[in-house]
Amino acid sequence: MSSITASGIGHAPAEPASRSTATTAPWRRWAQRWIAWPFPLLILLLWYLGAEYEWIAPQVLPSPAAVWATLVDLFRTGEIWGHLQVSLLRVFGGFALGLAVGGALGIAMGLSPVFKDYVYPLFKAFSQVPVLGWLPLLMLLVGIDEALKIILIAKAALVPIALNTYKGIQGVPTRYIEVARVLRFTRWQLLTKVVFPSAFAPIWNGVRYGFTHAWLALVVVELLASSEGIGFLIVYGRQLFQLDVVLAAVVVVGFVGFVLDKALALIEVRLTRWRRAGF
């Protein structure tokens, strides 16, 4: 017979967790946390052995110790900070532009079927051209100064933001819209209280993907047309055949990208706290 409990009517009280489940839970949490470490550690070990036993010439593959020493020296002298500041300003500027244009485009396509019918085919064709495909044309139009870099970074961020925003709005359940109409919501109330909160998760995924694409595009653009920035530092090290500088800059690129993505994930947790509290 079902019983009446504090958790609801018709639900039997929860059985206490078995000893085996309680014992294996910490192990599972530990495994999920550390399961990603063996592979990169193996790569690092192979790198160390390859440099130690000179499987590859030291001029081509510097040792991890040499790269670490170069990295410390770049931070100690402050050289890396100047390049990193320039790169961050570029990526945030391009991302902000891509977020504004991509968000507006995705909202318009999601809310207006007529606008979507006119624009979506052209947008799909636009999105299929990679960032570097626009480089020659933009160099003729805006030159090789900062505007070129900002536009290319914005293009990289724009596509995933627009697509995820459009699909998020299209994915709002119809029953939510029907309930809002029964409650006589105005159009503004419908958007702010139903559509955007329901579509927040895919929209934010688009923001994260957009920032990742913007960071990748930044490095590519700086590799081709720049006199400062992290990408320029990589090119500079390659031109002087200083592979330790190249690898040190690559480590910085990976670490900064990882930290920025984690920061966006933490922001998402804070922004979606109201959704978890409602369940």
Side-chain angles (χ1 to χ4, degrees):
M1 178 181 296
S2 62
S3 61
I4 301 176
T5 65
S7 60
I9 299 175
H11 294 278
E15 295 292 333
S18 63
R19 181 173 300 180
S20 59
T21 304
T23 308
T24 57
W27 165 254
R28 288 179 179 176
R29 288 195 295 268
W30 183 90
Q32 291 173 352
R33 180 175 299 178
W34 298 103
I35 195 171
W37 283 97
F39 184 71
L41 291 177
L42 177 62
I43 296 295
L44 185 62
L45 176 62
L46 292 175
W47 179 13
Y48 170 79
L49 294 175
E52 182 72 17
Y53 293 100
E54 296 189 2
W55 296 342
I56 302 176
Q59 295 81 5
V60 177
L61 183 67
S63 66
V67 173
W68 174 255
T70 300
L71 186 62
V72 171
D73 186 63
L74 288 172
F75 278 102
R76 181 180 57 81
T77 60
E79 181 180 359
I80 194 71
W81 293 116
H83 292 294
L84 187 58
Q85 181 181 7
V86 171
S87 294
L88 288 175
L89 288 175
R90 284 172 180 161
V91 76
F92 281 120
F95 174 73
L97 179 60
L99 177 62
V101 177
L105 189 61
I107 291 172
M109 290 192 298
L111 296 179
S112 173
V114 175
F115 182 85
K116 179 251 183 182
D117 291 338
Y118 279 108
V119 174
Y120 190 73
L122 180 61
F123 173 76
K124 286 293 290 183
F126 170 80
S127 65
Q128 297 302 316
V129 181
V131 172
L132 294 183
W134 297 100
L135 183 62
L137 177 62
L138 290 175
M139 289 179 67
L140 293 175
L141 295 176
V142 301
I144 60 173
D145 293 330
E146 289 301 306
L148 171 68
K149 304 171 184 61
I150 296 299
I151 293 173
L152 290 175
I153 294 169
K155 188 273 175 185
L158 181 152
V159 174
I161 291 173
L163 282 176
N164 281 272
T165 301
Y166 160 67
K167 293 180 179 178
I169 293 175
Q170 287 289 299
V172 175
T174 307
R175 62 182 181 274
Y176 292 178
I177 308 297
E178 293 173 350
V179 170
R181 288 173 178 168
V182 170
L183 296 176
R184 298 176 182 268
F185 277 15
T186 64
R187 185 172 180 83
W188 178 251
Q189 289 176 321
L190 177 65
L191 293 177
T192 57
K193 297 182 180 298
V194 178
V195 175
F196 291 137
S198 299
F200 176 79
I203 290 175
W204 189 260
N205 284 336
V207 171
R208 291 183 64 179
Y209 286 135
F211 193 86
T212 300
H213 287 202
W215 182 249
L216 296 176
L218 164 79
V219 177
V220 173
V221 170
E222 289 183 341
L223 286 172
L224 297 175
S226 182
S227 59
E228 52 187 350
I230 296 296
F232 166 76
L233 187 61
I234 295 175
V235 174
Y236 179 77
R238 179 187 61 81
Q239 291 174 342
L240 298 181
F241 214 71
Q242 295 178 346
L243 275 302
D244 53 338
V245 174
V246 173
L247 292 176
V250 169
V251 170
V252 172
V253 168
F255 178 76
V256 172
F258 176 81
V259 170
L260 292 175
D261 183 71
K262 288 297 182 182
L264 289 175
L266 291 176
I267 293 173
E268 180 181 6
V269 171
R270 296 292 298 272
L271 292 177
T272 57
R273 182 176 298 174
W274 63 272
R275 297 182 65 182
R276 297 194 305 274
F279 292 98

